[in-house]
Structure formats: C-alpha cells, structure tokens
Amino acid sequence: MLAGIDVDPEGLFLRIRNLLNQHHDLFSFAIPLIASENIVSPAVREAICSDFAHRYAEGWTGERVYAGCQFVDEVELICIELMKKLFRADFADVRPISGVVANLTLYTAFARPLDTFMALSVATGGHISMAPLMGKSGVFLGGTAGAVKGFNIEYLPLDEGEMNIDVDAALKKIREVKPQLVLCGASVFLFPHPVKELVDTVNEVGGKLIYDAAHVAGLICNGYFQDPLREGVEAMSMSTHKTLPGPQHGAVVAKAEHEEVIKRAVFPGLTSNHHLHNVAGLAITLVEMLKFGKKYAGQVIKNSKALAESLYESGFDVLAEHKGFTESHTILIDVANLKDKVGLGADVEKLLEKANIILNRNMLPWDVREGRHYKNPGGIRLGTSELTRLGMKEGEMVQIAEFMERILLDGEKPEKVREEVKDFRSEFQKVHYCFESATKAYEYIKIH
Ligand code: DSN
C-alpha cells in the first residue's frame, strides 16, 4: 500500500475501470442539471477515441510541421468551414483547447499586459478567466485575466433586478476608465447582453468589444439568444461542450480583419498541439447542429422556461420572474430562505446529489454583501442542455421540479426520492438530436 493505494498494477487497473463503470451507472440514472455540461453523441464519442488522439499537427492546416496530417487537415478544414457557416463568421480558429484558452486567445490578440479590461465579476456571473489576480479588498482571486495577462481589471456593473449588465452605469464607467478591451458574456447567462448598446462607446474610447459565448454558443449558432457578431463584437470565444453539445474544447470566431493576429495568438502563442480528436468530435457536433440544431436549441430554452416556471410555482425563489426567468439554458435560484431548513447552496447541492439530482451551488450577485462565501453561497444554478439531449420536454421539467420540491421544501428523504428518479430516468437512455445509433447515452464502451 502507498498512501492508501494498493500498488498491485492489476488490482489498480481493475479498480480504476470499476470506478469508471460506477460513474457511468450514476449518470445513466441521474438528472444532470449542470449548466456548463452536456453529453456528446455516440458518433462524437467514436471520433474522440480515434487515432487522432495520438497525433501532432502544430500550426495551421496545410502548413504543419509534422508528417501524417493529410486526413487531420481535411477534418479540421471541414470543422472551420462549419464554424464559419453556423456562426455566420468570416474567420474561425478551432485550435484553442478550452474556453479559457479561447479567452486568452482574444486577450493576447487584442490587448497587452497592464491594459484595462472590463468584464463581469465572478459574483455577478463572470468566469474565473475574466477575473483579476487580487480582489479590490486584497483577497487572492487568481483569475486568468489578471494572473496570466496582468490586466488592470474593472468590473462591468450588473443591474441585479434585471440580472443583466447595467447599460447606463457601464457606459459611464467605460467613458471614465477607457478600457482597451471589454468582454460581454458570463457563466450565469440568463439574458442576452447589451452588445449593441455598448459597442459605439467602447470603440469611441479606443477599445474593442469581444464576447465569451462559452455558455450560449449552441443557442447562438442555431439562431437563438443573440447574434453578437452582427451586433458589433470583433470576435467571440467559446468552449464547445455546454449548450454546444461537443467534446471539451474551445474555439474562436471573428471578423476577417482579425485572422492573422488570432492565428498567431493561438500558435505559437497559447498551444502546441491542439487535441485533434476533439477537433474531429467538434466537426461531427457541428454537422449535428446543421441538421438537428434548431429543434434542439429551441427545446433547450422551452425546457429551461418550463423548469423555472414549475420551480417558481412550487415556492422556489427563482430569479428574474418578471422577465420570464431566462432566455437561455440557465436558471438561477436564491436558496437563502432555505438556510434554517436545509442550508445554503452547497448544502442544497449535496442533499440533491443523494437523490441523483446533479447541479451546482452558485454565487448570487449580493452574496458578498450579505457575508456569504463562494464555498457555500446563496444560490444554485441549473441548466437544461443535457436533459434536452436526452429527449426530455416540458412535461419532464414539471416532474423534475416536483422531485426538488419534495426534497427541499417538503423534507422528504433524498434516498427515497432517488429510487423514483432512477425509474424516471430509465425512459431516457439515448442521445437525441444526432444520427441514430444503438449505443446508449452513458454506456461504458469497452475496447480492451
Ligand atoms: N466553470 C464553468 C461553469 O460551470 O460555468 C465554466 O468553465
């Protein structure tokens, strides 16, 4: 034994494989509600365990510095063309290996260390990749924009009632601080951001407006939510696995004039090899979006509205009721009123996990003011992308709200509800909005 680990290789191998199998069993019978997650189709799973996973192809297609890339190049070119078509973009780069690297690509292309950068704070829905190294109060945040790029970060103000960027306050601040770069987009992204309202002022002060579409890329490319490139942004970064139901990867789309600076930022700036199996998986995902995407994205939004409505009617404090709760896949709930009964966000997350209902705690914009911490914040965040891919519709959202009500409001034991959750899930075992396959959504595929 080494620090509690059996070092017998055979035993360890079997143990790891057993853990993987258990994980697949868990998700086969769970309600997956994490807004940043989704499930890929069997065709995409096949691509991501292909030989592409073993290869190198540094640089741009047709200009690689390794042999053996002829099929890799053809797949990547198809992927690029599909990105351009679906996002109606002049230029696409599918080499960033994650959403954070996609953001870093735009930071590198459009700004320099010590430049002033504006985005939402983490507490108001921003992502850690937008955050400074140190908070204003001297607390260590370690955000990518500060830690890696050394930006001077000013926050975009949030209108807490509207759960959106406060346009008047943002315009005033942009005129004052004259940022080189302003980023719209968020990790709690309920409503389209005011790109059109901000762009002229950002440009007047000499800055550039960009957009992080990590959460909403699968809505945007199917004609929903908003169309940032038409509304005035220079470029959009994204991850490819949230509402866009692809493998874990990143991408950037931009106006034609930014092609060279973005290409250079990606390679040799931020990547060496760019995970070719995920590029192949992304290409297949984009084909799926071309064929099935409009129905999928429309249903994601219908489902999130239905789930929010049912939860609200059950008595949950779902945010932004006066605006129909959400225009995306995401719902935010204030659970501070459950503090004495079940606890705050982390307690709610853990209790629901016992019933195989998987979601995450989330900060509310007013948590810091009210003395709450990100480890046990006042909110929970829910997303409907993965449930939609499993074929669920509005009726199932009502059922899911009931499960949550019974555990969190009526005090039923989660272990008892879990048995019903498993029954409920047994009907939804295939991935939808993709090419037909016999493989189940969470089937553990054994090759060895
Ligand atoms: N942290 C992820 C999210 O859950 O939104 C994004 O990277």
Side-chain angles (χ1 to χ4, degrees):
M1 296 288 276
L2 179 69
I5 290 181
D6 182 348
V7 290
D8 160 45
E10 187 71 18
L12 269 177
F13 166 62
L14 292 175
R15 183 169 156 198
I16 294 165
R17 203 160 66 175
N18 183 263
L19 289 167
L20 285 166
N21 269 285
Q22 287 185 60
H23 175 88
H24 278 249
D25 285 348
L26 167 65
F27 271 80
S28 296
F29 296 101
I31 296 177
L33 280 163
I34 291 185
S36 50
E37 293 181 353
N38 210 323
I39 183 162
V40 300
S41 67
V44 173
R45 283 175 76 188
E46 199 175 296
I48 63 185
C49 62
S50 70
D51 184 66
F52 274 28
H54 309 127
R55 304 298 151 206
Y56 265 77
E58 287 175 351
W60 193 251
T61 50
E63 302 165 10
R64 311 293 197 190
V65 288
Y66 294 85
C69 292
Q70 67 191 101
F71 303 110
V72 166
D73 274 13
E74 201 166 330
V75 169
E76 190 164 318
L77 282 172
I78 293 171
C79 192
I80 289 168
E81 288 309 311
L82 286 168
M83 284 291 291
K84 284 160 60 179
K85 182 174 174 57
L86 281 158
F87 287 93
R88 300 165 295 282
D90 303 326
F91 169 71
D93 195 324
V94 297
R95 297 172 299 167
I97 58 166
S98 69
V100 171
V101 173
N103 275 350
L104 275 171
T105 298
L106 299 190
Y107 301 167
T108 304
F110 297 134
R112 295 284 167 268
L114 306 182
D115 275 357
T116 297
F117 169 80
M118 285 181 83
L120 287 169
S121 69
V122 170
T124 60
H127 186 248
I128 45 164
S129 62
M130 308 169 188
L133 182 63
M134 306 296 289
K136 296 262 186 248
S137 58
V139 64
F140 178 80
L141 295 178
T144 313
V148 180
K149 300 306 295 185
F151 289 160
N152 162 45
I153 293 162
E154 296 283 346
Y155 293 132
L156 282 170
L158 185 86
D159 180 330
E160 293 176 3
E162 296 297 301
M163 284 304 288
N164 206 334
I165 294 167
D166 181 331
V167 174
D168 291 338
L171 291 175
K172 186 166 176 278
K173 197 161 176 186
I174 289 165
R175 287 190 194 102
E176 273 165 26
V177 305
K178 299 187 177 26
Q180 277 76 23
L181 204 53
V182 178
L183 178 75
C184 286
S187 286
V188 176
F189 209 171
L190 306 180
F191 302 106
H193 276 176
V195 170
K196 274 192 227 149
E197 290 84 344
L198 300 184
V199 67
D200 289 343
T201 306
V202 173
N203 293 340
E204 270 161 37
V205 300
K208 286 194 166 57
L209 187 60
I210 56 173
Y211 187 102
D212 181 343
H215 267 267
V216 291
L219 306 179
I220 289 175
C221 77
N222 288 306
Y224 290 91
F225 201 64
Q226 70 184 120
D227 190 357
L229 283 171
R230 247 62 44 203
E231 291 162 26
V233 302
E234 304 298 323
M236 256 192 313
S237 55
M238 68 193 77
S239 51
T240 55
H241 49 269
K242 295 183 171 84
T243 49
L244 189 61
Q248 294 210 345
H249 197 69
V252 162
V253 291
K255 291 180 179 171
E257 68 215 67
H258 304 308
E259 174 171 343
E260 286 312 316
V261 70
I262 287 174
K263 279 181 174 174
R264 276 204 304 274
V266 177
F267 179 84
L270 294 158
T271 58
S272 162
N273 195 29
H274 54 281
H275 303 180
L276 313 174
H277 51 307
N278 288 333
V279 173
L282 175 59
I284 292 173
T285 305
L286 296 173
V287 175
E288 291 168 357
M289 290 298 98
L290 211 52
K291 191 164 164 65
F292 309 101
K294 286 211 182 330
K295 280 197 175 142
Y296 155 72
Q299 191 62 48
V300 166
I301 298 168
K302 281 188 207 160
N303 283 351
S304 61
K305 283 177 174 290
L307 182 57
E309 183 75 46
S310 299
L311 288 164
Y312 182 78
E313 279 170 10
S314 306
F316 287 100
D317 188 359
V318 187
L319 266 55
E321 184 255 337
H322 70 294
K323 297 174 72 176
F325 306 105
T326 181
E327 289 300 328
S328 73
H329 61 308
T330 301
I331 302 162
L332 193 62
I333 304 180
D334 184 340
V335 294
N337 57 357
L338 303 180
K339 187 166 185 273
D340 297 334
K341 213 166 171 179
V342 287
L344 291 170
D347 308 300
V348 168
E349 175 193 296
K350 289 194 181 109
L351 195 63
L352 291 175
E353 191 178 24
K354 289 185 186 161
N356 283 12
I357 299 174
I358 312 287
L359 48 69
N360 70 283
R361 70 194 80 175
N362 212 98
M363 285 192 89
L364 301 172
W366 43 89
D367 268 349
V368 175
R369 265 195 331 263
E370 296 188 3
R372 288 189 289 264
H373 192 256
Y374 74 92
K375 286 196 174 157
N376 201 4
I380 51 170
R381 185 185 65 167
L382 293 74
T384 55
S385 314
E386 191 164 347
L387 298 177
T388 306
R389 283 279 273 181
L390 293 172
M392 294 191 195
K393 299 224 160 90
E394 289 93 317
E396 282 75 41
M397 299 303 114
V398 175
Q399 176 70 67
I400 290 168
E402 268 177 41
F403 288 138
M404 289 178 60
E405 179 186 353
R406 283 168 53 193
I407 297 163
L408 297 174
L409 303 185
D410 303 342
E412 259 190 67
K413 287 255 171 286
E415 293 80 1
K416 180 166 166 263
V417 177
R418 183 174 64 209
E419 295 314 307
E420 290 178 51
V421 165
K422 284 183 173 176
D423 274 356
F424 166 78
R425 256 311 305 278
S426 59
E427 307 265 313
F428 300 93
Q429 290 296 324
K430 298 285 284 287
V431 180
H432 291 240
Y433 309 99
C434 63
F435 299 104
E436 190 52 40
S437 149
T439 311
K440 288 184 178 167
Y442 304 92
E443 196 169 317
Y444 183 77
I445 299 171
K446 211 168 156 192
I447 301 174
H448 171 78

